Amino acid sequence: MPESLLPAQPELLCEAAALEERGRAQVFDVLLYGAPARAFALRFEGRVVAYLNRCVHVPTEMDWQEGQFLDMDRRWILCSIHGAAYEPADGRCVGGPCGKGRLTPIRVEERGGKVYWYPSRDIRPVSFDAPPSESLPA
Ligand code: FES
């Protein structure tokens, strides 16, 4: 079966306790259509949500500082560039220059005290080729 048709294996993202309610997000590297990109996960109303770190207005990263995506009231995801506001629960644009757009969601799962994310056809994990193992003398 081609690799693209296999069910996605979850990737460990972080300890569940690392994501506090409306706190700092966990930022992680992905490959978007094979090119390096970043994504983030945060906890909102008890649930972990994750999105590509890419504004709908201009395809750029949105955090104010690494992992800081929420506005001062911790109610909306706010793009630091021109202030587009998104609903954390579903990534929908609720104000500003993102129009009827929506952040690109990434499936996440919280299980056994850890958070996992699921690659998709378009968003893949960054994998590093293992260095060749040293050959042992015969
Ligand atoms: S780039 Fe995000 S609002 Fe313009």
Side-chain angles (χ1 to χ4, degrees):
M1 180 183 291
E3 186 186 350
S4 61
L5 296 180
L6 291 172
Q9 294 296 311
E11 296 279 322
L12 178 62
L13 177 55
C14 64
E15 298 290 324
L19 296 177
E20 294 177 5
E21 175 67 24
R22 303 183 193 222
R24 187 185 185 95
Q26 180 78 35
V27 177
F28 56 106
D29 294 315
V30 298
L31 291 176
L32 175 65
Y33 306 117
R38 306 194 87 190
F40 66 99
L42 55 78
R43 186 180 301 280
F44 186 80
E45 296 181 341
R47 195 167 63 91
V48 178
V49 293
Y51 300 100
L52 203 60
N53 186 1
R54 182 164 293 215
C55 188
V56 170
H57 178 222
V58 176
T60 187
E61 296 187 6
M62 302 184 295
D63 34 347
W64 301 81
Q65 296 176 357
E66 170 121 346
Q68 299 291 355
F69 289 87
L70 297 177
D71 67 333
M72 285 179 62
D73 295 334
R74 308 223 159 262
R75 174 60 188 90
W76 310 109
I77 293 172
L78 201 62
C79 177
S80 65
I81 308 299
H82 309 111
Y86 298 92
E87 167 60 59
D90 61 11
R92 171 174 52 92
C93 176
V94 293
C98 43
K100 296 183 189 296
R102 179 182 289 251
L103 297 176
T104 302
I106 294 176
R107 181 181 160 208
V108 283
E109 182 180 48
E110 191 172 349
R111 172 169 32 100
K114 300 190 184 307
V115 176
Y116 299 85
W117 70 277
Y118 284 81
S120 64
R121 191 192 56 191
D122 303 335
I123 303 174
R124 313 289 302 173
V126 176
S127 57
F128 298 96
D129 291 332
S133 57
E134 291 182 25
S135 52
L136 297 171

